[in-house]
Amino acid sequence: MFKLAKKYIKKLKLFILYWRRIVFAKNNFKCPFWKKIRANVCGGFLADQWMLYDFDHNDKSEYLSEFDWYRSRYINEPFDFLLNNKIAAAEILQQYIRVPASYMIKNHGFLTSFDSKHMEYEDAITLLKEKGKLFIKPYGAGKGNGVNILIYEDGKIFVDRDEYSEADFVKFLQGRDDWFICESMKQHQYSDNIYDKTVNTIRLITLRDIHTHQFKVFFAVQRIGTAATIPVDNGSRGGLVAKIDLETGVLSEARCLHNKNVYKVHPDSGAPIEGAVIPNWETIKVEILELADHMPYMHFIAWDILVTEDGNICIIEANTSSGVNIIQLWGGQRNDELGDFYRYHKVIKK
C-alpha cells in the first residue's frame, strides 16, 4: 500500500511540475504560441528548447526534453534527498574533500552556528568584517536562486553590488529564512583571466556506466558568469557555458541558454574563452571519480567544482540531476549515451 501511494504521489508531483515548469514557464526566447504548445504537448519540451535546439530544422526525436529531466531526478532514489539539500551534502562530502566552510544557519527563524551556538544577527556583521567576503545561500533551492555575495570593503557592507547600512543588513537577514552563510574562496587565475566578477565553476557529471557499473566522467562544462548574472555563473540565469574536452581540459567556445550567440571571447571582459585550459585537469578527473566511489548508493551526480587559487578543487555543491540544456547545446542525447542511461533507469521508454 505504501509503495502504491508513493508511486501516485510521484506522478502527482510530475503532473504539477509539468504545468508549473513547462506549460507556464517563463520564456527567454520569442516563440510563436503554436510552437510553444507543440513543444509542451509533443514530448514535454519548453518553448525555449524549441528555439534553442532549432526544431524548425532539427529532429526533436533526437533530444531529451525538460520533462525527461524532471523524471530523471528520481534515479538516485531513495538517496536523492542527500544531495538536494546543500547542508546535508556538505556534511557528507567534507569527510572526503574540501567544501566551503559553513558558519551560520537560519532554520525556521532560529539562528545558530554550525556547532549549535545561538547567534544574533549582529554576529553576521562581525563575521563579515573578519572574513571580508562571504556567500549567503538557501539550503534547498537550485539554479543560483537566492544566492548573494556579501562583501565588507572600506568600512562598508555590500550585498552583491548594493551598499547596506548595518541596520539594513540586519533587516535583510531577518527578512529571509532557511539560509546559511558560508566561505567565499579565491578562484584560480585561469578563471579570473576569463571573468573575475563572478565565481566560475565547473559542472562535471559522473554517472554509473550501464555496462561496467563503474562511475565514469560523462560530461563537463566551464560555467562563466557575466555582468548580468553577478554574483553567480549559472547557465539558467543567463551565464555562459563552454564545453570541456574530457581528454585535454581545453574549453570550446561558450554558449548561452538565453540566446543562440557563440562567444569565443567573454562579452564583458573581452578575454579569450575558446582554447583556455583547465589546470590539473587529469588530477581533477581522478579526484572526482574517487569521490563518486564514496557514494555507492548514487548512480548520477552533477558536481559543481571550484578550482581554487592554489590549483586544488573545492566542491561547491553536488546535485542528484543536471538540466539537459547545457549538455544538448552541443547536440541531442536521446539516442546517445545519456538517453541510453535514462532508458536503463526507466526515465524514458524510447
Side-chain angles (χ1 to χ4, degrees), residues 109-153:
F110 290 91
L111 189 62
T112 63
S113 67
F114 273 76
D115 54 3
S116 293
K117 293 178 181 177
H118 172 72
M119 302 194 81
E120 303 291 344
Y121 290 101
E122 287 73 17
D123 293 326
I125 297 174
T126 302
L127 179 66
L128 182 57
K129 288 180 178 180
E130 176 190 341
K131 301 295 184 181
K133 188 179 292 186
L134 297 165
F135 275 97
I136 183 170
K137 302 179 179 182
Y139 49 72
K143 297 186 176 182
N145 294 320
V147 177
N148 302 97
I149 190 167
L150 312 176
I151 298 172
Y152 184 75
E153 188 175 70

Side-chain angles (χ1 to χ4, degrees), residues 46-193:
L46 293 170
D48 277 353
Q49 289 172 325
W50 184 288
M51 308 304 290
L52 194 64
Y53 303 153
D54 190 16
F55 285 160
D56 288 334
H57 301 99
N58 293 325
D59 185 353
K60 64 182 177 61
S61 69
E62 296 287 327
Y63 289 78
L64 295 164
S65 71
E66 191 78 354
F67 198 55
D68 294 330
W69 167 46
Y70 285 125
R71 286 194 291 254
S72 78
R73 290 177 168 186
Y74 295 101
I75 285 174
N76 289 323
E77 275 192 324
F79 301 102
D80 50 331
F81 75 94
L82 293 174
L83 299 186
N84 290 337
N85 184 293
K86 294 180 177 66
I87 300 299
E91 291 292 309
I92 295 169
L93 294 173
Q94 68 183 354
Q95 302 174 75
Y96 312 114
I97 203 162
R98 177 86 159 87
V99 298
S102 296
Y103 298 116
M104 57 197 310
I105 182 170
K106 184 179 179 184
N107 181 24
H108 294 293
F110 290 91
L111 189 62
T112 63
S113 67
F114 273 76
D115 54 3
S116 293
K117 293 178 181 177
H118 172 72
M119 302 194 81
E120 303 291 344
Y121 290 101
E122 287 73 17
D123 293 326
I125 297 174
T126 302
L127 179 66
L128 182 57
K129 288 180 178 180
E130 176 190 341
K131 301 295 184 181
K133 188 179 292 186
L134 297 165
F135 275 97
I136 183 170
K137 302 179 179 182
Y139 49 72
K143 297 186 176 182
N145 294 320
V147 177
N148 302 97
I149 190 167
L150 312 176
I151 298 172
Y152 184 75
E153 188 175 70
D154 298 328
K156 299 175 182 178
I157 294 173
F158 296 88
V159 178
D160 297 337
R161 288 169 284 189
D162 299 324
E163 184 179 346
Y164 278 60
S165 67
E166 290 191 4
D168 287 337
F169 183 62
V170 167
K171 289 179 181 177
F172 166 77
L173 297 177
Q174 289 174 331
R176 297 174 58 170
D177 204 357
D178 302 339
W179 51 256
F180 70 108
I181 290 177
C182 67
E183 176 184 15
S184 171
M185 284 164 294
K186 184 77 175 71
Q187 65 189 0
H188 194 276
Q189 191 61 46
Y190 93 90
S191 189
D192 267 353
N193 288 344

